Amino acid sequence: HGFPTRAVLPVGGPDGTRLAAMLDEAGIDHVSVPIAGNIRSNVSILEPGGTVTKVNEPGPVLTPDEVEALLEAALKTAAQASWLVGSGSLPNGTPDDLYAQLIRRAHDIGIPVAIDSSGPPLLAALPAGPDLVKPNSHELAEAAGAPVTTIGEAVDAAQHLRGMGARTVLASLGVDGALLVENDEVLHAEVIVDNP
């Protein structure tokens, strides 16, 4: 969308070397944090009928020093940014509260934080007061501990996450569009996609 971004990621092993080279070739600005283990590869198999099968390898185990180096690199990079985004599942060996640590430390230097994760890392991040969380409908239901099958249930679940500490919730609801809940405002949007 025209905004410059910089990825901060752990890089190790032959797959890490290959990933860093691919990012360089694509002109994607990034900061590689060296780790001892080989990063994981994920394979998506797309069938002609549209069925997608994902095969995800287990990732490497990060040491406490590697986790701290990753946090430090993210915060150093964020010092020049308008937002810091923590995204995805956490590497093995990483504490569930890594995103919470990231939020608190980024807020200490005045940087707003968005979190796009799920499960225990998302739940651990909420009390730290993320400025934005971006769950999908399944992650929203899981975090709120309630079903999300209607827009009303999605609003209730988003308000629950706000009560747990998130300032704004932006939930992607698949074919039901997206929902933004912040302060006293609730916005729902859908878009027609001709060829998904």
Side-chain angles (χ1 to χ4, degrees):
H1 295 294
F3 291 96
T5 61
R6 179 175 294 143
V8 178
L9 63 153
V11 173
D15 289 336
T17 301
R18 189 168 31 257
L19 175 61
M22 289 168 44
L23 292 171
D24 286 337
E25 288 170 20
I28 297 173
D29 191 6
H30 66 281
V31 174
S32 296
V33 178
I35 62 169
N38 189 37
I39 65 166
R40 71 180 185 165
S41 292
N42 297 333
V43 178
S44 295
I45 303 167
L46 178 61
E47 297 178 33
T51 301
V52 177
T53 303
K54 293 187 175 195
V55 181
N56 297 333
E57 292 182 345
V61 175
L62 270 61
T63 68
D65 287 343
E66 290 170 337
V67 170
E68 182 59 28
L70 188 59
L71 276 171
E72 287 294 327
L75 291 162
K76 181 178 179 184
T77 300
Q80 305 161 13
S82 56
W83 276 85
L84 174 60
V85 178
S87 181
S89 59
L90 297 178
N92 294 323
T94 305
D96 285 343
D97 73 341
L98 177 75
Y99 287 139
Q101 293 178 51
L102 186 67
I103 293 163
R104 285 190 291 272
R105 291 167 68 173
H107 283 173
D108 285 346
I109 58 173
I111 302 295
V113 182
I115 299 295
D116 183 0
S117 192
S118 62
L122 173 59
L123 289 175
L126 293 172
D131 299 280
L132 177 91
V133 293
K134 211 303 294 153
N136 62 33
S137 57
H138 173 74
E139 295 161 347
L140 181 62
E142 180 184 51
V148 173
T149 58
T150 67
I151 301 301
E153 289 173 348
V155 171
D156 290 344
Q159 292 290 19
H160 182 78
L161 267 59
R162 292 190 71 246
M164 295 174 70
R167 294 190 178 128
T168 301
V169 177
L170 175 60
S172 55
L173 305 175
V175 297
D176 292 321
L179 181 71
L180 178 74
V181 179
E182 62 182 347
N183 299 326
D184 295 328
E185 188 167 38
V186 175
L187 300 173
H188 175 250
E190 292 183 13
V191 64
I192 296 172
V193 179
D194 292 329
N195 187 16

